[in-house]
Amino acid sequence: MTDKKRIINILLYIIPPVLVMGVLLVLFSANGFYPYGEKSLVWGDLRQQVVPLMINFKDILDGKSSMFMSFENAGGMNFWGVFFFFLASPFTFLVKFVEKENIILFMNIIVMLKLMTASATAMVYFRKCHEKLDGGIAAALSVMYAFCGYGLMYYQNNVWLDMMYLFPLLMLSLNLLTKKQKVLPYIITITAMVIVNYYISFMICIFLVLWFFTFHFDSVKQFFARG
């Protein structure tokens, strides 16, 4: 690969997240959302559950509370279960660097970062698994994936967005598993999904069962025909 082609290839991976960031920043600026104003994307479960728990988690990161017993919720509780249901995302740890009163505004940035990451991993999937697909089309599809209905509606359950950027990696790992018999990428990806959100991972497991029968449809049909 020549230097020019290598640079173009690198740019193709950068373009989708940059476009996602650009679109969101334009929308934020036009409507007075942080960092250009005082409006926040926070609503629904994001306001009632996620943000308060993130404030609690910041106290834990600052050494003011404990993962094993937090007295900032009801009469006190173990925080691990809540963490793995609502907060088990690498982006959650960014609250360490944000003042508690600004976390509700900082959620705008976290949503943007997660959608950017989703577009980046989608681009990786398209480039690795659909090599004949034009780079520009792959970039456009990656941006469309980031702005799909799921992402724009369910960002209020913020940790669900982590599944958006992990799902293309899951599909890539399945491609490597079936075509090159590489098991490790699949194990790493499905483990990461379970850790990030075991609730959605339950549905991912159902998808994998359906995918298995779809992928091996001919083999399954022949098996039942013999039976």
Side-chain angles (χ1 to χ4, degrees), residues 14-214:
I14 296 175
I15 287 173
V18 170
L19 286 176
V20 170
M21 179 178 67
V23 169
L24 287 174
L25 288 179
V26 168
L27 291 174
F28 288 172
S29 177
N31 294 281
F33 282 81
Y34 180 85
Y36 300 102
E38 296 300 318
K39 291 184 180 179
S40 171
L41 292 173
V42 171
W43 70 285
D45 286 349
L46 196 54
R47 177 181 295 275
Q48 298 167 8
Q49 296 176 318
V50 179
V51 169
L53 291 171
M54 279 194 164
I55 293 172
N56 193 172
F57 187 61
K58 177 173 172 57
D59 283 338
I60 292 172
L61 293 176
D62 290 341
K64 299 177 182 179
S65 187
S66 171
M67 289 291 289
F68 293 98
M69 179 56 71
S70 171
F71 290 99
E72 297 184 22
N73 295 280
M77 68 175 185
N78 187 301
F79 200 76
W80 282 109
V82 170
F83 178 79
F84 283 112
F85 193 84
F86 286 105
L87 305 176
S89 164
F91 292 97
T92 300
F93 291 85
L94 293 175
V95 299
K96 170 67 177 177
F97 310 103
V98 182
E99 296 298 326
K100 287 198 290 186
E101 59 268 23
N102 294 327
I103 289 178
I104 193 169
L105 297 175
F106 188 68
M107 292 307 302
N108 294 6
I109 305 301
I110 290 183
V111 169
M112 181 175 69
L113 291 175
K114 290 187 178 185
L115 292 179
M116 289 171 62
T117 306
S119 71
T121 57
M123 187 62 174
V124 171
Y125 166 74
F126 287 126
R127 295 294 286 171
K128 297 296 183 182
C129 298
H130 301 278
E131 297 178 0
K132 295 182 180 180
L133 188 65
D134 178 76
I137 294 176
L141 290 172
S142 299
V143 173
M144 291 169 65
Y145 175 74
F147 288 124
C148 70
Y150 174 94
L152 297 181
M153 177 64 188
Y154 290 111
Y155 73 85
Q156 59 164 310
N157 293 299
N158 198 250
V159 76
W160 290 14
L161 292 186
D162 292 79
M163 306 303 280
M164 271 191 73
Y165 65 72
L166 287 172
F167 188 74
L169 299 181
L170 175 66
M171 298 307 296
L172 175 59
S173 72
L174 290 173
N175 185 274
L176 293 172
L177 178 64
T178 54
K179 293 186 177 180
K180 298 183 178 180
Q181 289 73 55
K182 292 185 177 181
V183 179
L184 187 59
Y186 171 76
I187 294 175
I188 293 174
T189 307
I190 196 67
T191 301
M193 290 180 128
V194 172
I195 291 174
V196 165
N197 191 269
Y198 57 82
Y199 176 73
I200 299 297
S201 293
F202 169 75
M203 302 171 200
I204 292 295
C205 290
I206 294 176
F207 163 78
L208 289 173
V209 172
L210 297 175
W211 174 88
F212 173 83
F213 282 107
T214 301

